[in-house]
Amino acid sequence: MTLEQLRIFVTVADLLHFTRAAESLGLSQPAVSAAIAALEAEHGLRLFDRIGRRVELTAAGDLLRTEARAILRKVEDAGSMLAELTGLTRGALRLAASQTVGHHWLPPRLARFAAAFPGIRVDLSIGNTQDVADAVRDGRAELGLAEGAVSDPALMTETIPGDRLLLLAGRDHPWATEGAAMRGAATPADLAAARWILREPGSGTRALFERAIRAVGLDPAALTVALTLPDGALIRHALLAGLGVSVLSDLVVADALRDGRVVALDGLDLPERAFHLVRHRDRHRSAAERAFVRLALDGFVGA
């Protein structure tokens, strides 16, 4: 069993598609099939069930995927350790970020890091706060950056300056056209009657929104949620189209606020929000991760 076979196996297991795995790895489809066939033949076990054009992991394949991921992470960690000895000229940094952080806060900081350390490959996954916690706990990410708070005994967090949530409506929405903007005119009755466009449960934005709604005496479950969307940019488009009202980060709508396409209103207590760095308590902090925190995060937390 070689590391290359394990890399191929994990890619096929993640994508459940031989052709897409071959494209992802830069290999031919026959080469990928041959590697999987060799693994199966060597151990006398089927790792995948072929069902028409689809493949599914067998029980043995599912067990191997867990072990193979752990082995490949160890190999990558070893490579990162050696990179530390060569002055960060090579290596990799695995990051996980929640939606607002990943799409709106992180890009300029990644650009700064890439300019300083062009030999360090950054692998970024984006999900919600829970996805970030899962990725760091499972070792798929070395460092997480999330809007929401994380409570997990295996993880440690540090706060960094973040953003501010705003109660928002498009400029053609009655809340805006009736002169309500920035005057506190969105009463609890207005909020209860509104059509809401919200992030999915599990996101930091949704959790803070629901806390603010409860603070004015409303039950989040009783609201009319017209749309539940997995990304702040999608909610922004829905606001601009006049499909309802929402609570979003000021980072997501900065340009639309400046030119008046959306308006911010009072009516909910939405304080400034810290973001959170998430690390595993027991895993080694690589030089690449420390350099990222020091440079990309302006030294706000200890590197």
Side-chain angles (χ1 to χ4, degrees), residues 83 87-93 113-114 117-122 288:
L88 284 176
T89 59
R90 294 192 310 166
L93 175 63
F113 181 77
F117 301 103
I120 303 298
R121 186 185 81 247
V122 177

Side-chain angles (χ1 to χ4, degrees), residues 9-24:
F9 166 76
V10 167
T11 305
V12 176
D14 287 343
L15 298 176
L16 292 176
H17 199 285
F18 278 71
T19 301
R20 285 201 290 269
E23 292 171 352
S24 174

Side-chain angles (χ1 to χ4, degrees), residues 229-251:
L229 299 172
D231 180 81
L234 294 174
I235 294 177
R236 179 181 182 276
H237 287 302
L239 281 173
L240 295 176
L243 301 182
V245 299
S246 188
V247 164
L248 270 184
S249 166
D250 57 354
L251 299 176

Side-chain angles (χ1 to χ4, degrees), residues 14-70:
D14 287 343
L15 298 176
L16 292 176
H17 199 285
F18 278 71
T19 301
R20 285 201 290 269
E23 292 171 352
S24 174
L25 292 164
L27 299 172
S28 68
Q29 194 272 337
V32 169
S33 296
I36 299 301
L39 275 176
E40 291 179 326
E42 181 177 354
H43 298 282
L45 290 169
R46 292 186 65 83
L47 301 174
F48 296 96
D49 285 325
R50 282 73 168 176
I51 305 172
R53 292 178 175 270
R54 296 184 301 109
V55 294
E56 294 180 356
L57 278 170
T58 64
D62 193 46
L63 289 172
L64 178 59
R65 177 171 59 175
T66 300
E67 295 300 322
R69 282 177 171 166

